[in-house]
Amino acid sequence: MPDVTETHKGASTSTNGTVVKLDRGFPLVRCCDGAHVRCEHATSLEKNERVRAVIGDDVEVFLPEGHDKGVIVAIAKRRTSFVRRDPAERTSHQVLAANFDLVIIAEPIVGLNRNRLERELVLAHQTGADVAVVLTKADLAQDEQEAQNVCEQVRALAGRSVGVCAMSLEDGESIQAVRDLIGDGRVAVLIGKSGVGKSSLVNVLAEAEVQGVGAVRDRDGKGRHTTVDRVMVELPGGGCVVDMPGVRGLGMWDADEGLGAAFADVDELAQSCRFRDCKHIDEPGCAVREAVEAGELAQARLDSYRSLAAEIQSVRERRDEARRLRGEKASDRKKRKR
Ligand code: GDP
Ligand code: ZN
């Protein structure tokens, strides 16, 4: 992909484009005529801290005459978006990517972390896109049987709507399966903890060295977080993939729908609880706890559900409280002005 800012010649114009790269510099926008332009945000957007273009955003760009940068003047409503709680600021959120069709969750086939996977599934479902799980490093499984068992467990956990496949770098067929999952003309974002093999997967899909493998990219030498490259990589067979390195924490934000989709088994049982707002803790007539007692639902599954539900609730309460305080301060300021 060309990464040059072509100085715009001729009269000022406006165009539409997509943010295809985010790094330390200005967002790189691919304009609808195919040109790539580094862009700054218009001051009207700058004023609002929350409004920043993210990878995948469709933007309207103003190209001032003779200027080497474009100006993002508007960001289109996002079709899908990946949102998490801001790790640095408990009462705000971060959008990590927008307008993708599929979230691919990468988890290692050996040492898969169930709790992490459940968390990833909630946030992935909440985006509004399709969800798939790719189990990486399948060659490290003891044998074929073990690999298949893990796939089956993950299928059972993730539910029917989630595609699951195992892959390893040396197995061409397994890589083709990931390509098929993405599909032609679709954009996939790749999440998963560092070291799971995301960069290797992007490189093998792209048939090029687009991402450094085994590199520590989310901290600088002093242990501080740095801005990390996020780039939309076009795949030779069609489709695009966005790696999201440096996504360390996956804190819940508004994720009620995601929770319901990721825990469809619990959600379905909950339809039969006596109280519509049953928390499945100690309410009478709780069908979910009855299912646990009858051995139809694992206690660990209910524990995960409750803990994620509680996290979503407490984040919401803290955020509402922060908003209320901000609102009070604003009205105090107004009063003082009067
Ligand atoms: P990322 O941090 O998720 O981007 O992970 P990387 O792609 O940097 O990979 C981390 C390590 O896992 C590297 O040493 C890779 O060589 C190794 N790795 C990646 N894919 C596979 C695989 O399919 N099999 C095995 N055995 N190792 C892999
Ligand atoms: Zn209940």
Side-chain angles (χ1 to χ4, degrees), residues 37-235:
V37 183
R38 291 272 175 185
C39 291
E40 49 199 20
H41 287 87
T43 37
S44 56
L45 294 176
E46 292 268 327
K47 266 189 220 142
N48 188 344
E49 261 178 67
R50 278 161 197 278
V51 184
R52 286 286 179 280
V54 300
I55 194 101
D57 259 330
D58 290 322
V59 293
E60 195 182 321
V61 172
F62 176 64
L63 300 163
E65 185 183 348
H67 201 286
D68 66 343
K69 272 193 227 70
V71 181
I72 296 173
V73 292
I75 302 168
K77 190 173 179 324
R78 293 166 180 150
R79 188 163 55 81
T80 57
S81 56
F82 197 102
V83 182
R84 68 162 173 180
R85 187 176 74 235
D86 186 336
E89 242 258 54
R90 298 199 313 181
T91 54
S92 57
H93 69 288
Q94 269 182 349
V95 183
L96 297 178
N99 302 328
F100 44 87
D101 305 286
L102 174 71
V103 180
I104 297 179
I105 299 168
E107 276 283 336
I109 206 152
V110 177
L112 181 142
N113 181 332
R114 258 183 106 88
N115 286 337
R116 184 181 164 102
L117 176 58
E118 285 171 322
R119 175 176 291 276
E120 290 167 330
L121 284 165
V122 172
L123 291 181
H125 278 295
Q126 182 69 25
T127 65
D130 291 342
V131 181
V133 177
V134 170
L135 298 164
T136 58
K137 309 189 191 182
D139 53 304
L140 299 183
Q142 254 163 21
D143 50 31
E144 185 73 10
Q145 189 59 48
E146 197 202 3
Q148 275 182 20
N149 289 348
V150 179
C151 274
E152 281 316 310
Q153 285 162 19
V154 170
R155 279 198 188 100
L157 179 94
R160 278 188 297 275
S161 68
V162 175
V164 178
C165 63
M167 63 85 51
S168 76
L169 292 178
E170 302 300 322
D171 177 0
E173 246 176 68
S174 73
I175 291 158
Q176 187 55 44
V178 180
R179 285 205 178 92
D180 295 344
L181 215 55
I182 298 171
D184 193 6
R186 298 214 305 163
V187 177
V189 299
L190 193 49
I191 64 162
K193 97 173 196 270
S194 137
V196 71
K198 297 185 304 297
S199 315
S200 310
L201 177 58
V202 170
N203 289 341
V204 76
L205 290 171
E207 296 169 9
E209 287 294 313
V210 284
Q211 297 284 48
V213 168
V216 178
R217 288 156 304 188
D218 49 352
R219 283 179 173 236
D220 64 12
K222 300 178 195 78
R224 288 181 310 215
H225 287 271
T226 56
T227 323
V228 192
D229 284 9
R230 216 152 275 174
V231 52
M232 205 176 282
V233 178
E234 281 181 42
L235 305 182

Side-chain angles (χ1 to χ4, degrees), residues 270-291:
Q271 307 293 317
S272 309
C273 291
R274 187 179 306 165
F275 301 110
R276 264 204 66 209
D277 61 348
C278 186
K279 301 272 188 297
H280 326 305
I281 296 170
D282 52 12
E283 298 87 340
C286 173
V288 176
R289 275 187 304 116
E290 277 165 25

Side-chain angles (χ1 to χ4, degrees), residues 50 83-86 89-94 126 251-257 310-328:
R50 278 161 197 278
V83 182
R84 68 162 173 180
R85 187 176 74 235
D86 186 336
E89 242 258 54
R90 298 199 313 181
T91 54
S92 57
H93 69 288
Q94 269 182 349
Q126 182 69 25
M252 293 289 134
W253 191 245
D254 275 335
D256 289 330
E257 290 86 8
E311 183 178 330
I312 293 167
Q313 180 63 21
S314 86
V315 165
R316 182 168 21 236
E317 282 166 8
R318 262 194 249 122
R319 180 196 61 195
D320 290 350
E321 177 65 10
R323 276 187 190 158
R324 199 178 59 77
L325 291 173
R326 271 203 303 273
E328 275 179 6

